[in-house]
Amino acid sequence: MVWDVLNVIGTIAFAMSGALVALQVKYDIIGAYVLGLITAFGGGAIRNLFTGIPIIELWQQTTLFIVALITITIVILLPNKAVKLLTKWSFFDSIGLSAFAVQGAMYAQSMNLPLFAVMFSAAITGAGGGMVRDVLAQQRPIVLRQEVYLLWAIFAGFIIGMDWLTEPYHLYIVFVITLIMRGISHRFNWSLPTRPVQNPKEDL
């Protein structure tokens, strides 16, 4: 039950996020559908490749594909004011990250993979689709910026991979906590440290 709920939540959120990015960078309708679908399913596809799951399983999610297509269509039909308002938020992206991070960790744990693999699965499932979306939209991927983003997916993977959770509702709690922490870090512009490298030409 938890798996299905998070799957639907993540698919809707990331399909909407991808479509909004496509409209923001002025892609056409086909571009909106492409970015929406890639954002919604890209992370899971990459995860399956790394964990040895046949890629054909991706195409067996007919219901989720229909949900994603309906979501993208709704975004395309929204008034311009609504689209501009929604693009100012990272809310849908945060929901998708949190839902798919938990779902990805659950997937790896169900295969009895080690802790590191569970954390990796959470990270790539939660952020993989968004990374591909940003590359196709010719933007710097959020996950590679200073902004705290991928860390929260890794956090969810660590909590689940440690087998500390004993009840299904605990997974919802991890989802909510991950979402809240992502929201707080975005609201207050938390960032990870960077190491600036001086351009050699500047020494001349």
Side-chain angles (χ1 to χ4, degrees):
M1 183 64 179
V2 177
W3 170 273
D4 293 331
V5 171
L6 292 178
N7 228 351
V8 172
I9 291 175
T11 298
I12 292 174
F14 267 157
M16 184 168 288
S17 172
L20 287 171
V21 170
L23 296 180
Q24 187 178 17
V25 298
K26 299 182 180 179
Y27 282 3
D28 61 18
I29 293 177
I30 296 299
Y33 280 105
V34 169
L35 284 194
L37 291 173
I38 284 178
T39 309
F41 298 98
I46 297 172
R47 175 202 64 210
N48 288 357
L49 289 174
F50 276 99
T51 55
I53 304 300
I55 195 65
I56 193 174
E57 286 202 5
L58 174 69
W59 305 110
Q60 296 175 347
Q61 305 178 86
T62 304
T63 301
L64 290 178
F65 273 107
I66 294 174
V67 169
L69 290 172
I70 292 174
T71 302
I72 297 167
T73 302
I74 292 173
V75 172
I76 292 174
L77 296 177
L78 287 175
N80 288 337
K81 289 184 179 180
V83 172
K84 291 180 180 178
L85 179 62
L86 292 175
T87 53
K88 293 180 181 179
W89 303 344
S90 64
F91 187 63
F92 298 110
D93 197 69
S94 299
I95 292 176
L97 171 75
S98 305
F100 277 155
V102 174
Q103 190 237 32
M106 291 172 61
Y107 198 87
Q109 190 184 45
S110 69
M111 298 173 62
N112 295 317
L113 295 178
L115 175 61
F116 179 80
V118 175
M119 295 167 63
F120 175 83
S121 180
I124 202 65
T125 309
M131 290 177 65
V132 178
R133 173 204 63 202
D134 291 343
V135 170
L136 293 178
Q138 300 180 9
Q139 298 178 347
R140 287 188 306 160
I142 296 176
V143 66
L144 302 180
R145 303 178 196 172
Q146 279 183 276
E147 186 176 350
V148 180
Y149 185 85
L150 189 62
L151 179 65
W152 302 126
I154 296 173
F155 160 78
F158 175 78
I159 296 297
I160 295 172
M162 290 298 291
D163 287 326
W164 290 339
L165 310 181
T166 58
E167 300 292 339
Y169 73 86
H170 291 165
L171 294 166
Y172 289 118
I173 294 175
V174 174
F175 163 68
V176 172
I177 292 175
T178 305
L179 177 59
I180 291 174
M181 294 308 299
R182 165 58 187 158
I184 292 174
S185 65
H186 178 74
R187 173 64 180 81
F188 294 101
N189 296 316
W190 290 0
S191 61
L192 297 173
T194 60
R195 180 187 173 187
V197 178
Q198 189 175 17
N199 191 327
K201 294 182 180 180
E202 297 177 359
D203 297 331
L204 300 179

